[in-house]
Amino acid sequence: MARFLRSHFPTIGVLAGWQYYWTATPRSYLDPIFRGIRAATQRFNSNLLLGCGMGTAGRSDVFVRPAWPARTDNADFVPIGPWNTDGLIVINPLHAESRSTYVQQLRAEGYPLIFVGSGESGPTIVADNEQGIDSALRHLVDHGHRAVAFIAGSPEDMDGDTGARLNAYRAGVAMLGLAEDERLIAFGNHVVDGGRLAMQQLLESGASFSAVVASNDESAQGAIQALHAAGRIIPENVAIVGFDDRPESAVLKPALTSVQIPLFRMGYLAVERLLQQIRGQALDDQPIKVPTRLVVRESCGCGHSAVLADVLDLAAMPTEDTAPPSAAQLTQQMTQAVLVEAQGLARDEIEFYCRSLATAFLNSVQTHDPLPFQAELESILGRTTARGDDAHLWQVAISVLRSQARQLPALRQEPEALLDDARVLISAAMRQQHRRQVVDHRWTSNHVGRLTALLLTALDEAQIYESLAHYLAEMGIHTAWLALFEAEDDDPVAWSRIRDVVAPARPVLHSRTRSFPPPEWQGDGRPFSLALLPLSGQQGGAGFMAFDAIHLDLLGAIAQQMSAALNTAKLYREATEGRRLAEEANQLKSRFFSR
C-alpha cells in the first residue's frame, strides 16, 4: 500500500503456472487473458509486468516451464514479485506445490493478489464450468446421444478446472439419465498428446459411446487424431465437443463445437478487481463466475444452417414491447450480443460503440439519410480492427437492428437497403483486415527470417547487438532490454547488467535485479507495459529480456534466437581463447626447447 501511495501509477505483475510460449508461439489459452490484462492496465493507467515463460526449443514434451519469481528447477526466474509490484494476477493451475505455497504465503501477509482460473483459495475470476459442461451435454442429448464419454484434464488438478468440469460431467450424466460408466472417463492432461492417448484408452476400454466431451480444445484435438487413426468418422460415428473455443478450433476438420470462455474478459476483470484490492478494498474469496457459451460448429453433428442459426440467436432478443425501440434499448441489446463474440474489446468500449451506432441508425431512419449510419459503422470497424478484434463480430449488431427494424414505421419502406449496405461494409472491412494480416505476416516473416540469418552467423556480442538494434526498430519494437544476472553471496540473480538493445549508445546499467525496471529508464511520465522473457538455453538461466508488451506474437522467437546467439558467441569466445592459450603455450614450449 505504501508503495502504491508513493508511486504515480500502480504496478501489476502477472504470473502463470506454465509457459506463455510453446517454444516460440504464444499459447492460445493465455494469449487472450494477457491481452485483456494489458487492455485494462492501459484503460486504468497502471504499470504492467507480464511474466512470459518460455518452452524449451526442441522439447515439446516439456509442458510446464513458467516464468516465476522464485528460483526452482522447473521454472525460470524473472523479477516480478512483491518487491517491484503492488499486486499480482496469478493464472491457475500452478502445477507445483511449491508455487502454491509461495502465492498463499503472499496472501497470508496481506499482499494484493487475485487468481484467474480455479485451483487456489482466494479472490478468483473463473469460467462457469458447470454451465459450460451442462450446455455441451444437453446439446449432445438433443442430437440423440445417450452414452457420452469425457476426457478430463490432469488428476493433479482436481481442485481446479479439471475437477470442476469432471464433477459437472458426472452431475450432468446423472441428471440427464445418460449411461454411467467409469470406463467412459479418461484423463488427457489438457494437451494434444494426452487427448490422443485418452481417446485410445476409451476405444480400448470396451465401453460403448457415441459422443465425447473434452475438458479443453487441445485434448479434443488429440482425440480427433485418435478417432481418425481408428477409422471413426466425425460426427457420423462419434460426435465431439471441446472446451475453451480457441482460435484453431474453427479451422479443424470438421470444425470443433466448443464451449467458449471469455478469456479476454476474465483478464480485464482481474485487473479491475486487483486494483480494488490495491486501493484497500477487501474482496471475499467467493469466485466470480464468468458465463460461458456453447459455440456450435460441425463436430457435434450440426450443419451449416445450425451454425448460422446459432449466430442469429445471439441477436434474438424477444420483447413484448411493440413500441419503437429507443437508442438506449438498442445499445443494451447490441452490447449484450457483441460482448459474447468480442475477444479484444472491453465492455465499456463495446457499449460506447453500440451507443454511437444506435444513435446514428435512428438518425439515418429519421432523416432518410444513410450517411450518418454508414460513417459511424465505418469508424467503428476501423477502431475494432486496429484493436486486433474481428470485424465480423459487428454482424451480430446488425442482426439486432434488423430484428428491431419492424417496429420502426419510418423504416418499413427501406429496411433492407440500409442494413444490407451495413453487411456489405462489414464484409469489405473483413476482407481488408484479412489482406492486411496476410501482408503484415509476410513482412514480419521476412524481417524475422533476415534477423535469424544474421544471428545464426554472428560470432560475437557486438554483431548480435548491432543486428538486433537495426531489425527490431524496423519491426516496430522500440523497447528491448537485455539483462544478464550477476551473483552476490549465495544469490545468483542478485544483480543485473541491463543493456538497451535498440539504443546501443545508452550506458549499460548495473542495478539490483528485484528493483527492475530501472527508474532511470522510466522518465516519459506514462505507465510502462513490459513483457519479461527468460533467456533459455543458458547454463543456470543467465538472464531475461524485457520488451514493450505490444508484439507478444513476435517476442518468443526473438528471445529464443537471442539466447541461442549469445550461447554461440560465448562458446566461440571460449574456443578462441582456448586456441590462443594453447598457441601461447606451444610458443613458450618451443622457445624453451630451442635453448
Side-chain angles (χ1 to χ4, degrees):
M1 187 64 181
R3 185 188 301 112
F4 170 69
L5 292 174
R6 290 194 306 267
S7 173
H8 188 47
F9 304 112
T11 298
I12 291 175
V14 182
L15 301 168
W18 67 106
Q19 64 267 37
Y20 175 80
Y21 291 100
W22 187 253
T23 61
T25 305
R27 301 298 296 268
S28 58
Y29 179 86
L30 289 177
D31 184 55
I33 296 177
F34 276 34
R35 286 192 288 109
I37 290 171
R38 184 173 183 274
T41 54
Q42 289 180 314
R43 169 68 175 78
F44 299 113
N45 288 324
S46 303
N47 296 322
L48 177 63
L49 293 174
L50 288 172
C52 299
M54 292 288 297
T56 304
R59 292 287 307 280
S60 61
D61 59 313
V62 180
F63 172 60
V64 178
R65 187 82 188 176
W68 200 250
R71 297 185 65 254
T72 63
D73 292 336
N74 57 358
D76 291 309
F77 176 82
V78 291
I80 302 176
W83 359 270
N84 64 344
T85 64
D86 297 289
L88 287 173
I89 297 172
V90 180
I91 304 172
N92 289 323
L94 299 183
H95 295 291
E97 184 63 31
S98 61
R99 291 194 276 274
S100 176
T101 300
Y102 180 88
V103 295
Q104 291 299 335
Q105 180 62 37
L106 291 179
R107 281 194 65 234
E109 295 170 358
Y111 184 76
L113 190 147
I114 193 165
F115 297 100
V116 174
S118 56
E120 294 288 334
S121 61
T124 305
I125 310 295
V126 64
D128 193 337
N129 291 307
E130 294 77 12
Q131 175 200 24
I133 295 296
D134 180 72
S135 64
L137 288 174
R138 289 181 182 276
H139 187 74
L140 291 171
V141 168
D142 289 342
H143 278 288
H145 298 285
R146 306 302 302 171
V148 181
F150 187 73
I151 298 178
S154 168
E156 291 76 32
D157 183 39
M158 294 306 294
D159 291 331
D161 287 336
T162 291
R165 294 173 191 176
L166 178 56
N167 291 337
Y169 162 79
R170 286 181 167 137
V173 165
M175 179 180 297
L176 298 172
L178 304 181
E180 297 188 50
D181 188 340
E182 285 298 307
R183 293 178 300 171
L184 292 177
I185 299 173
F187 288 87
N189 294 308
H190 285 159
V191 296
V192 174
D193 287 344
R196 178 175 49 79
L197 294 174
M199 177 52 69
Q200 290 175 354
Q201 176 186 329
L202 291 171
L203 292 172
E204 295 169 359
S205 70
S208 177
F209 61 92
S210 60
V212 180
V213 174
S215 187
N216 80 332
D217 284 359
E218 285 193 35
S219 53
Q221 183 178 345
I224 289 172
Q225 293 175 0
L227 287 169
H228 284 322
R232 305 292 181 93
I233 301 174
I234 302 168
E236 286 81 357
N237 300 139
V238 180
I240 187 163
V241 177
F243 207 107
D244 291 344
D245 190 34
R246 303 193 185 183
E248 54 267 32
S249 302
V251 298
L252 294 175
K253 295 294 184 181
L256 180 65
T257 294
S258 184
V259 176
Q260 183 185 82
I261 298 178
L263 297 171
F264 179 93
R265 174 62 181 157
M266 291 170 68
Y268 196 98
L269 186 57
V271 173
E272 292 181 317
R273 301 289 283 177
L274 182 60
L275 287 174
Q276 292 175 6
Q277 284 192 66
I278 291 173
R279 295 185 173 97
Q281 179 178 337
L283 303 181
D284 59 41
D285 290 354
Q286 189 68 26
I288 298 175
K289 289 190 176 182
V290 181
T292 57
R293 184 178 78 90
L294 183 68
V295 178
V296 174
R297 298 192 181 97
E298 289 82 24
S299 69
C300 62
C302 286
H304 291 290
S305 60
V307 176
L308 177 61
D310 177 66
V311 174
L312 295 179
D313 280 346
L314 290 173
M317 306 287 184
T319 177
E320 298 179 359
D321 189 1
T322 58
S326 66
Q329 291 170 326
L330 290 175
T331 297
Q332 181 183 10
Q333 293 182 14
M334 286 193 294
T335 300
Q336 292 174 358
V338 174
L339 189 61
V340 172
E341 295 291 301
Q343 294 293 314
L345 295 172
R347 183 185 183 91
D348 56 348
E349 293 175 296
I350 292 172
E351 186 172 6
F352 175 80
Y353 293 157
C354 288
R355 183 181 300 109
S356 301
L357 192 62
T359 302
F361 174 69
L362 294 176
N363 184 19
S364 287
V365 169
Q366 294 167 359
T367 62
H368 301 281
D369 180 5
L371 292 181
F373 179 58
Q374 292 174 355
E376 188 59 38
L377 179 58
E378 286 181 343
S379 175
I380 290 172
L381 290 171
R383 285 177 282 179
T384 298
T385 55
R387 291 297 302 272
D389 219 326
D390 192 345
H392 182 267
L393 65 90
W394 290 102
Q395 292 283 13
V396 73
I398 301 305
S399 295
V400 171
L401 294 177
R402 186 180 294 278
S403 70
Q404 299 298 323
R406 64 179 64 92
Q407 299 180 43
L408 296 170
L411 191 61
R412 285 175 181 166
Q413 297 178 358
E414 51 188 27
E416 300 300 327
L418 187 64
L419 296 175
D420 285 349
D421 285 348
R423 300 279 194 203
V424 172
L425 284 175
I426 295 173
S427 178
M430 292 167 55
R431 185 178 184 183
Q432 181 67 19
Q433 185 179 29
H434 172 69
R435 288 181 172 178
R436 170 53 56 190
Q437 289 172 344
V438 170
V439 171
D440 288 347
H441 177 72
R442 290 175 178 171
W443 184 88
T444 300
S445 297
N446 178 54
H447 279 71
V448 171
R450 292 166 67 184
L451 175 60
T452 300
L454 287 172
L455 291 178
L456 286 174
T457 57
L459 296 178
D460 60 62
E461 284 85 348
Q463 289 179 288
I464 294 171
Y465 299 139
E466 181 181 355
S467 299
L468 283 170
H470 176 72
Y471 278 98
L472 292 185
E474 284 198 356
M475 294 163 65
I477 298 175
H478 302 295
T479 300
W481 301 340
L482 170 70
L484 299 178
F485 296 137
E486 291 184 355
E488 180 180 72
D489 299 329
D490 59 348
D491 183 1
V493 299
W495 291 87
S496 290
R497 295 187 64 83
I498 307 175
R499 178 188 299 271
D500 190 336
V501 176
V502 295
R506 210 175 202 178
V508 175
L509 288 180
H510 188 247
S511 65
R512 287 282 182 183
T513 299
R514 292 174 180 83
S515 296
F516 184 87
E520 299 94 319
W521 293 357
Q522 301 176 41
D524 61 0
R526 295 176 298 175
F528 60 76
S529 181
L530 297 173
L532 274 59
L533 285 68
L535 285 175
S536 58
Q538 306 260 341
Q539 293 183 355
F544 63 94
M545 292 198 73
F547 299 90
D548 187 273
I550 298 177
H551 304 283
L552 290 176
D553 55 328
L554 300 178
L555 304 184
I558 293 170
Q560 191 176 87
Q561 294 163 8
M562 179 70 172
S563 182
L566 289 174
N567 256 342
T568 300
K570 176 175 178 289
L571 293 173
Y572 180 78
R573 184 175 63 252
E574 291 173 348
T576 302
E577 181 67 14
R579 286 195 299 270
R580 185 183 66 79
L581 292 174
E583 290 173 358
E584 291 178 353
N586 288 332
Q587 291 174 0
L588 289 173
K589 187 185 298 183
S590 298
R591 286 199 294 269
F592 176 79
F593 284 111
S594 65
R595 296 176 182 175

